[in-house]
Amino acid sequence: MKEFFIATRNQHKAQEIMAVLGGEFGCRTLRDCASAPEVEEDADSFAGNARKKAAALASWLEKNPRAADRKGGKGGRGLAEVYVLADDSGLEVDVLNGAPGVYSARFAAMDSGAKGNSTDAENNAKLLRLLATVPAEKRTARFRCVMVLIRLGQRETGPVVFDGVCEGMIGFEPRGKGGFGYDPLFMPVGHAVSFAELGAEVKNTMSHRAKALEKLKQYLAGI
Ligand code: ITT
């Protein structure tokens, strides 16, 4: 079985990734590895940040191989069957020239200069405030996801990059209880309800993340 080490501390993201990948893969996250390094997400693109997250975890796992091997290194398969997968993603709103973009997780905190990510409620409130006078037809937006895959022990093949986009509109108020982040405000094309109302099962058939993961699964099936 291929083992994935998902370079995220966002449990919602991790759950979506695991649900789309399905049971044929083993998955762990940074939560299973408390001493893995924090990564400063200071690149100006999703791909740049995803590369940083993947490379940092891959380097750490190569220096700490026991963390990557479920069998503790005894008779295990070593690092060759272990993949690091990083996801950097966010929301691009057309009328805001693509913001929040790479700043999606810390959109509200950018105003106060506070360190770290903002809460989903703070980010959604800021987005609604900025769009307060924007009519429905100008509220077009998309979620974008870039994933970077590194196969440990086979670094010469280099990182492989997959992306996915989901087009939609920003609503006028948060709706629904599912998902995370901007899901209560995002209505995917063809739907008059938000991702948070549609729920995980439907979201995972059409989201930016699901589209990137479908490409990743095809890649894995071909190697
Ligand atoms: P990691 O870096 O640990 O993976 P993070 O939440 O900080 O976790 P990102 O830096 O990629 O992840 O920021 C992504 C942000 O974009 C996330 O916090 C949400 O605000 C938003 N976002 C991304 N995908 C989303 C989705 O499927 N639904 C709603 N919001 C999403």
Side-chain angles (χ1 to χ4, degrees), residues 22 47 55 72 90 143 153:
F143 274 125

Side-chain angles (χ1 to χ4, degrees), residues 12-223:
H12 299 282
K13 238 190 214 186
Q15 274 163 9
E16 289 185 7
I17 291 170
M18 291 184 216
V20 176
L21 282 178
E24 60 181 298
F25 303 107
C27 290
R28 283 171 285 173
T29 73
L30 285 176
R31 291 195 176 205
D32 299 310
C33 211
S35 51
E38 289 277 343
V39 175
E40 196 178 352
E41 297 182 38
D42 56 1
D44 61 3
S45 66
F46 294 118
N49 283 328
R51 279 179 191 277
K52 278 190 87 171
K53 289 191 263 193
L57 182 55
S59 297
W60 187 85
L61 286 170
E62 284 166 353
K63 284 187 205 128
N64 298 271
R66 279 170 181 273
D69 187 347
R70 280 194 199 278
K71 292 181 182 161
K74 288 183 206 143
R77 290 157 296 186
L79 295 180
E81 296 272 342
V82 180
Y83 294 79
V84 167
L85 179 63
D87 163 319
D88 202 67
S89 46
L91 181 70
E92 298 173 346
V93 179
D94 291 324
V95 77
L96 301 179
N97 298 316
V102 291
Y103 303 108
S104 292
R106 52 184 191 275
F107 193 36
M110 289 165 69
D111 299 333
S112 63
K115 282 238 167 222
N117 291 350
S118 317
T119 66
D120 292 342
E122 288 166 342
N123 285 334
N124 284 331
K126 177 174 178 182
L127 182 58
L128 283 178
R129 209 166 53 243
L130 292 178
L131 298 185
T133 60
V134 178
E137 68 275 13
K138 293 201 174 137
R139 297 172 82 96
T140 51
R142 71 203 49 77
F143 274 125
R144 192 179 297 279
C145 173
V146 177
M147 293 199 163
V148 170
L149 182 75
I150 294 176
R151 184 172 180 177
L152 296 191
Q154 305 244 327
R155 292 272 224 141
E156 61 281 2
T157 54
V160 192
V161 183
F162 309 91
D163 62 358
V165 169
C166 181
E167 299 283 344
M169 304 271 303
I170 303 301
F172 289 88
E173 60 187 7
R175 280 166 39 183
K177 299 244 178 282
F180 71 102
Y182 299 91
D183 281 346
L185 292 180
F186 184 83
M187 297 181 290
V189 161
H191 294 266
V193 296
S194 72
F195 260 164
E197 291 175 289
L198 285 170
E201 219 167 290
V202 178
K203 179 182 177 187
N204 288 341
T205 65
M206 65 178 73
S207 77
H208 49 314
R209 186 161 295 109
K211 288 175 182 166
L213 285 168
E214 285 310 323
K215 293 179 188 172
L216 178 143
K217 285 208 271 190
Q218 277 177 23
Y219 169 81
L220 290 176
I223 59 171

